[in-house]
Amino acid sequence: MLGAGNMGTLSAWYLTRAGHAVTVIKDNASPMQEKTLCFPDGQRHSLNLPVRAPGQISTTIDHLIVAVKTPYSQVALPPIIQHLHAHTQLIRLQNGLGALDGLLPHGILPLEAVSTSAVKGQHPHHDIVAENTTWLGGHGEKPPWMNDLQNHWPNLVWTRDIRIPQWQKLVANAVINPLTALHDVPNGQIIDDPSLRLCAEKICMEADMVLQALNNDWPGQSLDNVLAVARATANNTSSMRADRQRGATTEIDAINGWIVRQADQLGIEAPENQAVVSALRRGSVAG
Ligand code: KPL
């Protein structure tokens, strides 16, 4: 697993339960990564994952989950590229879209994972897990290991068309993440604050226009889903707000930045998306 933040660690837990050995690849002084997860049934499980720096990898990698935050993909992937081969099965477990474009050797088509589960790190000794649906899909047939993994990973769904859940999550992230990050508020403020709600509607409308232009079958009307996500996670700190609070680079380029790039290519105006991209790149509050 390349990088292992919250969602990477949760995936590693399910994989471990299914009998797979998971090694985290990252530059780290510590040879083990430890985390205790608290599940909805109240059970706590501690996970100890071995960590290897890229330079310590000596074998080819047959299965790789890319779980680094999108801005770090460009730095994290090149040192391990020599260990990938034409048949490496690669799963991208990241927010947004396009972060691995141009970075993978020819012939490797990643599967995409989209999760609505969450891991919240509000407690000093453990992180709280909210278990929801995770979709896995992409090109080709359902991989042979998927059936067994589904016995250990609750609500893990195989889909041939990953685009629908991926785009739904993209639009939710495109609205909730930048607005909560720029205004330093929890997700529920998108519903409670009329000016944020207006920005949300505009970002959403632009995103729907772009997605509809890319695929006629896109149903649009994403606002209902976005507001439902904001309601369900009302007290949460979005990942982008958390990144901004700790001064880390945000995932704006893979989320709203992706929408703006598509809009440019299609000749569609996307000023609200452009505004949050610019504001987050500047690090200032949106006008
Ligand atoms: O996925 C999220 C994130 O924070 O990245 C949402 C859905 C906005 C929940 O906080």
Side-chain angles (χ1 to χ4, degrees):
M1 182 173 288
L2 190 59
N6 285 342
M7 292 310 298
T9 307
L10 181 59
S11 314
W13 162 250
Y14 297 134
L15 286 161
T16 306
R17 254 195 348 185
H20 302 287
V22 180
T23 299
V24 179
I25 305 172
K26 69 173 174 186
D27 280 316
N28 197 329
S30 161
M32 297 299 281
Q33 175 167 311
E34 288 180 42
K35 213 179 208 18
T36 302
L37 298 172
C38 181
F39 286 82
D41 62 4
Q43 293 226 27
R44 283 180 207 187
H45 296 285
S46 291
L47 188 62
N48 282 304
L49 296 171
V51 178
R52 299 279 175 276
Q56 293 175 301
I57 311 268
S58 51
T59 56
T60 54
I61 299 173
D62 295 327
H63 299 93
L64 180 70
I65 298 182
V66 176
V68 278
K69 288 235 175 202
T70 53
Y72 305 109
S73 311
Q74 281 195 346
V75 176
L77 259 172
I80 60 158
I81 287 290
Q82 56 181 313
H83 302 292
L84 308 184
H85 56 88
H87 301 291
T88 299
Q89 283 192 324
L90 194 145
I91 298 176
R92 196 181 76 87
L93 177 66
Q94 295 181 306
N95 274 332
L97 283 163
L100 302 189
D101 288 358
L103 295 181
L104 297 176
H106 184 70
I108 297 187
L109 294 172
L111 294 175
E112 299 273 329
V114 178
S115 187
T116 51
S117 294
V119 181
K120 288 165 259 165
Q122 287 135 333
H123 284 255
H125 304 302
H126 62 259
D127 289 345
I128 306 224
V129 176
E131 286 179 313
N132 295 308
T133 306
T134 299
W135 291 268
L136 190 61
H139 61 94
E141 296 301 316
K142 183 175 176 179
W145 39 261
M146 185 71 185
N147 278 346
D148 183 55
L149 190 56
Q150 283 173 310
N151 293 328
H152 302 277
W153 186 324
N155 303 320
L156 177 64
V157 177
W158 171 258
T159 174
R160 273 178 158 270
D161 191 357
I162 192 74
R163 269 182 315 179
I164 297 296
Q166 196 164 45
W167 286 3
Q168 277 169 345
K169 178 151 188 201
L170 176 80
V171 183
N173 285 145
V175 171
I176 299 171
N177 293 19
L179 294 179
T180 55
L182 288 166
H183 297 272
D184 199 19
V185 291
N187 295 357
Q189 277 297 103
I190 304 284
I191 300 165
D192 297 338
D193 180 324
S195 68
L196 290 193
R197 163 92 190 229
L198 191 63
C199 290
E201 285 171 17
K202 291 182 189 164
I203 292 174
C204 219
M205 209 179 61
E206 291 175 7
D208 274 339
M209 265 184 347
V210 168
L211 298 178
Q212 239 146 15
L214 288 172
N215 180 355
N216 253 335
D217 293 339
W218 177 247
Q221 313 285 339
S222 296
L223 189 64
D224 289 349
N225 178 55
V226 170
L227 296 181
V229 174
R231 203 169 290 117
T233 60
N235 296 323
N236 290 9
T237 286
S238 75
S239 54
M240 197 174 284
R241 180 185 180 208
D243 285 341
R244 197 160 187 257
Q245 284 175 340
R246 60 190 175 87
T249 309
T250 72
E251 299 190 293
I252 194 73
D253 280 332
I255 301 176
N256 305 77
W258 183 87
I259 293 170
V260 170
R261 288 192 294 281
Q262 301 299 316
D264 282 350
Q265 280 171 20
L266 293 160
I268 294 172
E269 301 271 301
E272 288 296 318
N273 281 276
Q274 182 59 67
V276 291
V277 171
S278 306
L280 274 149
R281 284 201 191 129
R282 278 200 311 271
S284 65
V285 173

